[in-house]
Each structure stands twice: as C-alpha cells, then as structure tokens.
Amino acid sequence: MAENAKWYVVHTLTGYENKVRDGIELTAKNRNMEDLVVDVQVPMEEVVEMKDGQKKVSVRKKFPTYVMVKMVMTDETWYIVRNTRGVTGFVGPGSKPVPLTDDEAANMGIETKSISIDYQVGDSVKVVEGPLESFIGVVEEISMEKKKVRVCVSMFGRETPVELEFDQVEVLV
C-alpha cells in the first residue's frame, strides 16, 4: 500500500507545524495506519547570518505554515489530516488535495531519488551524455551532496577536470 503513497501539502496555523506533524503521526499510529500515512515532514534549512562579525548558523522552517505528508489518500487518511488540530486545509483547488509530482517533491528537498553509482575514485569512465560525449577520463572526486562527479579528461593534449552529473558517465569495463 505504501508504494501508492504521494506527497501532499497541508496548510497550518502559524507556529503549529511541529504540533501538526506530531498530531498526524500520533493519530496514524493509534489507528494502526502507518502503512497509509507513511511520512510527515516539516522541511528545515540551515541559514548562515553574520552578526557583529560572528558567523551564526541557525535552522529555520523552509516553508512556514506548511507540513508535507506522504500518504495514500483515502477518506480516512483525509479525515485524520483534515481534523488534526492546527490544520487549515490541504493545498489544492477547493477542498480537493492535489499530490506533488516526484519532481516537485525532489525540488522541495522533501524526497530525493536514491542514486546508485557503480564507479569510484580512480576508475576509468566514459562520458555518455552532454558536450563531452564519448570522452574517456578518470574519476577524481565524487560529491554525493552535489550529486556530481569530477572526471579528468584528456582534451587537446591536456588533462582537464570537468564536473558532470552522476548519470552522464559510465564505468569502462
């Protein structure tokens, strides 16, 4: 059932985001509906501020007054979320909740597609996409955070490091 779950955006009263998240999770657990209400998130982000010459890092809500809920939409799950204290409604036209697309969820940073790579630093790879297609190079660095790989390719008789997406290269066998 959980594989049919989609992300929905729920609007809350100001300052109620964490209470709403906790309330939805608790109600789903009490009703044994964790397979229908899969995940509830209040997306956060780190913010760096300079105060009096000091760098101060704080965490704040990415989307104030919104909570993201990954669930299978049924009458009962709709009822649970809609009647949680602090919820003002789902985001969507009228009273009909509209799920986020996979791309929207990924762009909002609430769900990232897991990427598996079959190469490591030092491996020879071939560029399979983009302007350097068919160039051969050696992997110098893999950045999981940026989802990029730095490959040193030979261009015009010189070794040149280039940054590519994970899926733009494949390992040479």
Side-chain angles (χ1 to χ4, degrees):
M1 209 52 163
E3 61 274 357
N4 298 331
K6 298 221 177 292
W7 284 103
Y8 293 89
V9 181
V10 177
H11 192 262
T12 70
L13 297 171
T14 304
Y16 273 73
E17 301 89 349
N18 293 334
K19 290 178 189 132
V20 166
R21 179 197 58 214
D22 297 344
I24 293 170
E25 287 174 343
L26 184 64
T27 306
K29 187 175 194 293
N30 289 343
R31 294 187 182 199
N32 291 322
M33 294 177 61
E34 291 110 318
D35 57 332
L36 295 175
V37 180
V38 181
D39 194 5
V40 186
Q41 290 186 16
V42 178
M44 304 296 272
E45 65 183 348
E46 278 190 1
V47 182
V48 179
E49 298 171 350
M50 292 299 282
K51 271 200 174 153
D52 304 323
Q54 297 289 318
K55 197 171 13 173
K56 183 178 171 248
V57 179
S58 58
V59 178
R60 71 172 185 201
K61 294 176 184 92
K62 220 179 203 181
F63 309 108
T65 71
Y66 291 99
V67 173
M68 312 306 161
V69 182
K70 186 173 189 174
M71 66 182 194
V72 177
M73 184 59 73
T74 65
D75 288 345
E76 197 171 2
T77 57
W78 180 89
Y79 181 85
I80 285 172
V81 173
R82 192 66 190 85
N83 290 293
T84 297
R85 188 180 156 167
V87 170
T88 59
F90 282 94
V91 172
S95 61
K96 184 175 181 349
V98 177
L100 295 173
T101 65
D102 292 343
D103 286 344
E104 287 171 333
N107 290 341
M108 291 171 85
I110 53 174
E111 182 153 70
T112 54
K113 297 177 181 118
S114 61
I115 300 170
S116 64
I117 52 175
D118 57 352
Y119 47 83
Q120 55 194 21
V121 174
D123 285 355
S124 291
V125 292
K126 179 180 181 179
V127 181
V128 293
E129 188 182 293
L132 301 175
E133 190 173 338
S134 77
F135 275 79
I136 309 276
V138 176
V139 176
E140 285 189 334
E141 182 184 339
I142 298 171
S143 172
M144 296 308 267
E145 303 83 49
K146 293 198 285 181
K147 294 181 180 34
K148 302 243 185 209
V149 59
R150 190 169 71 217
V151 178
C152 195
V153 295
S154 181
M155 268 196 289
F156 313 116
R158 295 166 77 174
E159 296 294 311
T160 308
V162 292
E163 202 171 64
L164 302 165
E165 303 285 332
F166 284 160
D167 59 355
Q168 285 183 283
V169 297
E170 63 184 32
V171 71
L172 284 176
V173 194

